[in-house]
Amino acid sequence: ISLIRREYFQVFGCVRFGGSLTVGQVWDLGFDHLALAVGAGLPKELLIPNSLAPGMRSANDFLMSLQLTGAAKKNSLAQLQVRLPAVVIGGGLTGVDTATEVQAYYFIQLEKVASRYQDCVKQQGESAFRAHFQAEDLVILDESLAHYAQWQEAESIALESGSRCDRVALLREWGGVTIVYRRTMQESPAYQRNHEELTKALEEGLFYAEGLEPTAVVLDDAGHCQALRCTSRIMNESGDWMSTDEQQNLPAPSL
């Protein structure tokens, strides 16, 4: 870095683009490239019935919470509740990031839930500990414990055979993570801006549902997300997308 650059930043410290530093000054200082890293776009709330019911959250909020709370770290007390099958609405890069993070985080969540459950049962006894939960909470807890046990069994079988545990197969058996987009994958912002990233995401076992327009969130008896109701869309001869009368319910306790 040149002397003039060092002196400039020593004087201004925090630089505000467009204020203390303009585009013209960037070139005057001798820089060859200017990149604007503005981060993910603002979250968009879907104006459909039961939007943001328990089990549904904005992708931006999920990604930020995952990083800032430390939930992805095994030694962190923070926890984000994710259930499978999960559905991510939107064909942008934020949606792809969210889908891959959900899959990766799910195994961390299972491990943390099982470990803490075992610790609490040792201290309080199983009956006393389970008495703290409501019926709908026990359904989610037992689901996580069952998935963890199945995962550990698969790991043991793989170890005995000298192979690696197929986590993708487990995720798909549990319902996996599906990206829902209202057009084709090739028309999605993620594909057009960085198709390599989308390709790698699909290699991790993601499902991709094209031509679906979300119309409502279906709730279970506890008022939590149960499914995403979508209207199927088709492309006519002119290349325009049109809604049909066909409705689909995608199981999705996490949206």
Side-chain angles (χ1 to χ4, degrees):
I1 188 169
S2 68
L3 179 61
I4 186 172
R5 295 182 198 173
R6 289 200 301 270
E7 291 178 345
Y8 185 90
F9 287 106
Q10 286 173 356
V11 172
F12 285 95
C14 180
V15 178
R16 180 182 178 184
F17 181 71
S20 55
L21 183 64
T22 65
V23 175
Q25 289 174 312
V26 169
W27 311 135
D28 293 340
L29 288 170
F31 288 100
D32 301 313
H33 184 77
L34 172 64
L36 299 181
V38 297
L42 293 175
K44 296 180 180 179
E45 178 184 350
L46 288 181
L47 300 179
I48 59 177
N50 302 320
S51 183
L52 294 182
M56 183 177 185
R57 65 194 305 164
S58 73
N60 303 66
D61 177 48
F62 171 78
L63 292 172
M64 291 297 291
S65 298
L66 188 63
Q67 300 301 323
L68 296 180
T69 65
K73 298 179 180 179
K74 296 180 180 180
N75 59 350
S76 172
L77 289 175
Q79 184 84 308
L80 295 176
Q81 181 173 286
V82 171
R83 299 179 66 191
L84 297 183
V87 168
V88 177
I89 304 170
L93 289 170
T94 300
V96 175
D97 287 344
T98 301
T100 55
E101 290 290 352
V102 166
Q103 288 200 152
Y105 171 69
Y106 191 68
F107 287 98
I108 298 175
Q109 174 184 273
L110 293 182
E111 194 168 20
K112 293 171 72 172
V113 168
S115 175
R116 293 174 186 177
Y117 181 79
Q118 293 166 2
D119 289 343
C120 291
V121 166
K122 289 180 181 178
Q123 295 177 8
Q124 304 179 28
E126 189 165 25
S127 297
F129 178 63
R130 292 176 68 88
H132 295 296
F133 297 89
Q134 297 181 354
E136 57 266 26
D137 298 324
L138 287 174
V139 170
I140 299 173
L141 174 61
D142 290 338
E143 176 185 85
S144 296
L145 294 175
H147 285 179
Y148 177 77
Q150 187 178 355
W151 170 30
Q152 295 308 297
E153 182 180 0
E155 290 282 3
S156 298
I157 294 175
L159 183 62
E160 292 176 359
S161 62
S163 60
R164 296 185 62 182
C165 176
D166 190 351
R167 294 192 179 188
V168 171
L170 287 173
L171 288 167
R172 290 196 161 192
E173 183 177 345
W174 299 330
V177 181
T178 301
I179 296 177
V180 170
Y181 187 54
R182 57 195 177 90
R183 298 179 180 176
T184 64
M185 182 191 302
Q186 288 76 10
E187 293 177 278
S188 70
Y191 182 88
Q192 295 179 359
R193 295 173 183 173
N194 191 347
H195 67 274
E196 292 92 348
E197 182 173 343
L198 182 55
T199 299
K200 290 297 183 182
L202 293 174
E203 290 175 357
E204 295 182 15
L206 294 176
F207 296 111
Y208 203 104
E210 301 176 319
L212 294 179
E213 184 76 34
T215 57
V217 177
V218 181
L219 305 181
D220 61 17
D221 294 336
H224 296 174
C225 293
Q226 183 180 55
L228 178 67
R229 181 168 298 156
C230 299
T231 297
S232 296
R233 305 173 78 231
I234 59 174
M235 185 184 295
N236 61 21
E237 296 178 355
S238 301
D240 298 321
W241 283 93
M242 301 181 61
S243 297
T244 68
D245 295 329
E246 181 183 352
Q247 298 284 322
Q248 294 189 35
N249 277 4
L250 303 179
S254 286
L255 275 168

